[in-house]
Amino acid sequence: MLWVAVSAVGLGFLIALEIAARRYGEPGPITDQAREVIFAPKSGTVLYVSMALVMVVLTWRQRFIAVGAAIGIDVVFWLVRWAVDAEMMYGNGALWVTLACAVIAVTRRTGRDRVLLLKGVGLALLLVAGRKTGYTWLLITSKTRPAVLDQYVATADHALGNPSWLVGRIVEATGTVGAEVLNWVYVQLAVAAVIVALYQLRNVAVERCFPGHHLVRTFLVIGLLGPGIYMLYPVVGPIFAYGADGGHWAVANLWPNTPPPVSTPHPMLFDEVTPRNCMPSLHTAWAAAIFIHSRKGPRALRFLGAFWMMATLGATLGFGYHYGADIVAGVVFTLTIETALRSLDRGWDRPGIQLVGYGAAVFAALLASYRYLSMEMAQHPWVFGPLLILAMSSVVYGYVRTTKLWERTPASAHLPEPRREPQPELV
């Protein structure tokens, strides 16, 4: 019943986004995904890494067959597109194999095997659907939020030393090579996520069940809740609000060479194209989730998680996509969600409830301070800067302390109470 309810809610959410996108003359997530069965996908990499999530439930022989079939189908699509001079892109084969696994699960599998394969297909399609819904959400933010709050965040960012301006100059100094590496890491975030997820799900085919908590769950919840904050706190980012990419909508062409002057902030109108997707930084949130989940892996996986975290921070700031305040909020956002999901898996207890409540309170306080105390933060950076870092660090410390406590005291199994036999009546 839980899976049915979640599926019904998810389908209703997709239909609502489809209707909203159609109102603005754009295809919604359902249409966008359906067309990729035949037409060139936007990202073939995402479709292949999604197919990898299905393969965790398959045997090695079935995996080789699935990969071979996907590549073969893609080769056919390539030849047809080359012959008719259409847009070239791979990934249709991976989507066909994923859909074929769903059909096989319904028609050829029974019992636990059917449920397991459907869960694998569900994870894969959720990852793809999450990307599609993200595009639609960004469209909605640009159409429904004409005024942005960049001046408030940029003013508050003086308390952190304007890190986007600083890192932007560092990235420029590294030249083309540094920018290309950071851009690849930024764009291919899903690749690192699937590598970590595949390690966590490596025993699914043998144990015939999924672990209670893994990275994909955190990824999906971050992507589900984050756009809602975009609607409440629309921000476009320094490269648009203070850089050349903003055109005549920008306050001035200041990024990354000249930090903005401290002046009274105001909401500012912006175009109906640029997404309001800065507060909080979801790229930072996802990279932090990858870092957290890679800590239990081998050394190479831990290095990968640390590298992706640092490179993502460098890209989000160095390309002018985010302010430092977005990064702080993104870290608190992730740790709060991660704590809630872990508590949901192991059972709610007092430390988990306290940390989720505390993280939510800190996150709300950060957003409120950026909006209503930005001038005070800019005028007293040596007071508010350490306070911002201390607030974020307190959530990090609380998370580390709580998870270590959970490791020492694992969740107890909830066993049904023994049935009480009726006692004979005394005579």
Side-chain angles (χ1 to χ4, degrees):
M1 291 299 295
L2 177 62
W3 278 93
V4 171
V6 170
S7 300
V9 172
L11 180 60
F13 179 67
L14 288 175
I15 293 174
L17 287 180
E18 183 75 24
I19 295 172
R22 294 283 181 172
R23 291 184 58 187
Y24 297 110
E26 297 288 339
I30 299 176
T31 303
D32 207 16
Q33 187 58 62
R35 71 180 300 277
E36 290 189 353
V37 175
I38 301 297
F39 297 99
K42 290 183 178 179
S43 175
T45 304
V46 171
L47 292 175
Y48 266 95
V49 297
S50 300
M51 185 185 72
L53 292 177
V54 181
M55 293 195 297
V56 300
V57 307
L58 305 178
T59 64
W60 279 106
R61 179 177 176 274
Q62 293 168 340
R63 292 170 186 172
F64 285 123
I65 294 174
V67 172
I71 295 175
I73 293 171
D74 266 332
V75 169
V76 173
F77 271 96
W78 266 79
L79 293 175
V80 173
R81 286 174 185 148
W82 176 77
V84 300
D85 196 25
E87 180 184 359
M88 304 299 288
M89 178 54 71
Y90 63 93
N92 299 88
L95 181 57
W96 277 47
V97 169
T98 301
L99 296 176
C101 288
V103 174
I104 291 172
V106 174
T107 60
R108 303 293 298 274
R109 300 289 178 89
T110 58
R112 192 170 184 176
D113 289 339
R114 172 185 289 177
V115 173
L116 190 67
L117 185 53
L118 285 177
K119 283 185 178 181
V121 172
L123 282 179
L125 294 180
L126 279 174
L127 186 61
V128 176
R131 192 177 181 90
K132 300 302 179 185
T133 56
Y135 292 144
T136 305
W137 263 118
L138 297 184
L139 170 69
I140 293 174
T141 63
S142 64
K143 299 295 185 182
T144 61
R145 293 296 181 268
V148 297
L149 305 178
D150 281 77
Q151 292 188 28
Y152 293 90
V153 183
T155 303
D157 226 35
H158 282 277
L160 297 171
N162 300 297
S164 181
W165 272 257
L166 174 61
V167 180
R169 293 194 295 272
I170 293 175
V171 172
E172 280 191 348
T174 62
T176 305
V177 176
E180 287 296 329
V181 171
L182 291 180
N183 182 66
W184 187 85
V185 169
Y186 187 84
V187 172
Q188 302 297 343
L189 185 71
V191 175
V194 170
I195 291 174
V196 176
L198 289 178
Y199 174 79
Q200 293 179 321
L201 304 176
R202 65 193 184 280
N203 294 325
V204 170
V206 176
E207 299 175 353
R208 311 306 295 166
C209 67
F210 280 84
H213 179 58
H214 48 82
L215 176 60
V216 180
R217 297 178 72 205
T218 307
F219 238 67
L220 292 173
V221 174
I222 289 174
L224 178 65
L225 298 181
I229 311 299
Y230 293 164
M231 300 292 288
L232 297 175
Y233 209 107
V235 181
V236 293
I239 188 64
F240 299 103
Y242 293 93
D245 288 17
H248 69 277
W249 296 95
V251 176
N253 190 0
L254 301 176
W255 188 90
N257 298 314
T258 306
V262 178
S263 59
T264 304
H266 301 282
M268 54 184 283
L269 293 176
F270 215 79
D271 62 33
E272 295 185 357
V273 177
T274 306
R276 280 65 164 153
N277 62 338
C278 277
M279 182 63 71
S281 170
L282 291 198
H283 257 80
T284 299
W286 282 319
I290 292 172
F291 176 81
I292 292 170
H293 283 265
S294 66
R295 295 304 89 196
K296 297 296 184 181
R299 180 177 299 179
L301 198 67
R302 297 198 301 270
F303 282 151
L304 174 71
F307 167 76
W308 226 274
M309 177 72 177
M310 298 306 297
T312 301
L313 290 178
T316 54
L317 294 172
F319 293 148
Y321 297 148
H322 290 281
Y323 304 91
D326 308 337
I327 306 300
V328 173
V331 172
V332 174
F333 186 67
T334 297
L335 293 176
T336 305
I337 290 175
E338 180 69 16
T339 304
L341 291 176
R342 286 178 181 264
S343 297
L344 187 64
D345 174 48
R346 74 185 307 277
W348 289 94
D349 56 6
R350 185 174 180 180
I353 295 173
Q354 288 177 337
L355 184 56
V356 171
Y358 178 70
V362 170
F363 182 74
L366 289 174
L367 297 189
S369 64
Y370 298 157
R371 177 64 175 82
Y372 299 106
L373 296 176
S374 57
M375 278 298 292
E376 289 77 3
M377 295 171 73
Q379 292 169 352
H380 305 284
W382 291 104
V383 175
F384 284 95
L387 283 177
L388 289 177
I389 301 301
L390 181 62
M392 180 185 70
S393 301
S394 66
V395 179
V396 173
Y397 171 76
Y399 176 81
V400 173
R401 184 172 178 271
T402 301
T403 52
K404 285 185 176 180
L405 176 64
W406 285 343
E407 290 173 359
R408 291 196 300 267
T409 57
S412 57
H414 297 284
L415 299 176
E417 293 184 1
R419 187 180 62 175
R420 303 181 66 177
E421 298 291 342
Q423 297 296 321
E425 183 179 355
L426 295 178
V427 178

